[in-house]
Amino acid sequence: MNRREFLASLGAVGSLGVLAGCPGTDSPPETSVGKTERKKTGVNGASIPVTYADRFGTVVNITSAGAETGVSKPINSALEDVAGDDTLVYLPPGRYRMDEAWSQMEFENFGIYGPDATLVPPSGYDDDLFVLGNQRSARRLLLDGLTFDVSATGTGPRIVHATVADGLLVRDVSVTGLQDTGRGLTRFDVTDPDGRGQVQRLELPDGGAPNGRATGCLVGPQSEGRIAFHDCTIVGFPDNGLYASPSPGIVDVYGGRYANNGIASVRVSGGGVVSGVHVVCDESRDGVENMRGIRLRGAVGQSCGTAESRSRR
């Protein structure tokens, strides 16, 4: 059977790709409390999950440092005032302006929690927003519940560049609006070979402008630990959806939806597991001419598991 006959034999409308790991591979890491299972407690005017109250010695409501909702006053200086080791910064519901990059390079157990907070860069902004950690002097980072609105004309920041040795946890972070520039939207690196990280329910549904070079999520060449992606949504980026093959560490992908991304929707190297992933390639766009579902590089040893693909006639 030639390639054309094979594709025709698949039939059906829709698109689905599933690649299951081999027997004996690691099971999915435990994902802590689920989104609908969080019991809240009040600490310093912040309504936070009990598990976070137990984890952090200090919980700070960012409004105590003068931050205001609305998009007229940036919150960068307030973040600078309250950030520190063993500290969780809480953002109450509302929209907050960020007009330049904010960095926290060295920390031990630092987090930002804002399940109803939206961070808004100005029109035309194309720099970083959060730059968190460095190769060896940052451990235990939490980002939970933040939304980033990049819908203003010409706007396309990298919303998060996080580099930690160990203990990365990103949960329920989402982006609304088209990435208008060539910047990669997110990047996560776990630099210790024994380090671990999890990215849960990262939502990037609006993609990047065609003819650009925007990547949805990059796991870069500094990442030597193991990162697991759970139930994420990455759609419509011209230069890879989840681009993890530069990483010498292991990247696992469990569940989620990856659709119509250029080059590949899920791109990983050997050693990891890709399981239960819904991959769609059913919409051709100008400037995004080469779409693969799952791209694997550097695999060693026996190949096993199952894969299915369907194309729209």
Side-chain angles (χ1 to χ4, degrees), residues 15-273:
S15 175
L16 173 65
V18 177
L19 179 64
C22 305
T25 55
D26 289 350
S27 59
E30 190 173 333
T31 59
S32 187
V33 291
K35 188 172 183 179
T36 61
E37 300 171 352
R38 304 182 186 187
K39 296 181 179 178
K40 299 291 185 64
T41 185
V43 181
N44 295 334
S47 178
I48 62 172
V50 173
T51 52
Y52 296 168
D54 293 338
R55 168 175 166 171
F56 294 94
T58 301
V59 176
V60 180
N61 188 324
I62 197 169
T63 60
S64 68
E68 300 175 0
T69 58
V71 293
S72 58
K73 180 181 178 181
I75 65 167
N76 297 62
S77 61
L79 286 167
E80 191 69 29
D81 289 344
V82 299
D85 290 348
D86 200 25
T87 297
L88 178 66
V89 179
Y90 170 69
L91 274 62
R95 294 171 66 84
Y96 299 86
R97 181 181 175 90
M98 290 189 72
D99 62 358
E100 61 181 348
W102 180 76
S103 63
Q104 183 77 354
M105 305 305 290
E106 298 183 4
F107 53 81
E108 178 70 39
N109 196 29
F110 172 69
I112 302 175
Y113 177 63
D116 298 298
T118 299
L119 298 161
V120 185
S123 178
Y125 187 85
D126 64 355
D127 202 350
D128 294 326
L129 287 179
F130 286 123
V131 181
L132 302 171
N134 57 36
Q135 194 161 1
R136 296 295 178 191
S137 300
R139 290 180 175 270
R140 303 190 68 200
L141 172 66
L142 168 71
L143 295 176
D144 189 334
L146 303 173
T147 296
F148 295 82
D149 183 348
V150 302
S151 59
T153 302
T155 303
R158 173 171 283 164
I159 63 163
V160 176
H161 184 169
T163 307
V164 298
D166 187 23
L168 172 72
L169 179 55
V170 177
R171 308 183 70 202
D172 301 314
V173 170
S174 63
V175 177
T176 62
L178 184 75
Q179 177 80 340
D180 278 344
T181 71
R183 297 298 308 275
L185 198 53
T186 58
R187 176 172 173 174
F188 305 111
D189 294 319
V190 173
T191 60
D192 189 322
D194 295 322
R196 295 293 183 267
Q198 290 191 49
V199 180
Q200 304 172 11
R201 298 180 297 275
L202 177 68
E203 296 285 326
L204 311 178
D206 295 333
N211 299 305
R213 297 290 296 171
T215 298
C217 182
L218 172 66
V219 182
Q222 290 183 325
S223 191
E224 299 185 24
R226 188 164 196 154
I227 302 179
F229 288 81
H230 293 265
D231 300 323
C232 299
T233 299
I234 302 181
V235 177
F237 288 88
D239 187 17
N240 293 280
L242 173 57
Y243 185 13
S245 64
S247 166
I250 294 175
V251 175
D252 301 314
V253 188
Y254 299 105
R257 184 174 187 271
Y258 298 80
N260 298 322
N261 297 290
I263 313 299
S265 275
V266 176
R267 182 172 174 176
V268 296
S269 298
V273 175

Side-chain angles (χ1 to χ4, degrees), residues 1-14 307-313:
M1 181 181 294
N2 63 32
R3 181 175 180 273
R4 184 181 298 274
E5 290 169 338
F6 171 72
L7 291 174
S9 71
L10 294 174
V13 174
E308 181 182 2
S309 176
R310 295 178 182 169
S311 60
R312 174 170 293 174
R313 291 188 176 185

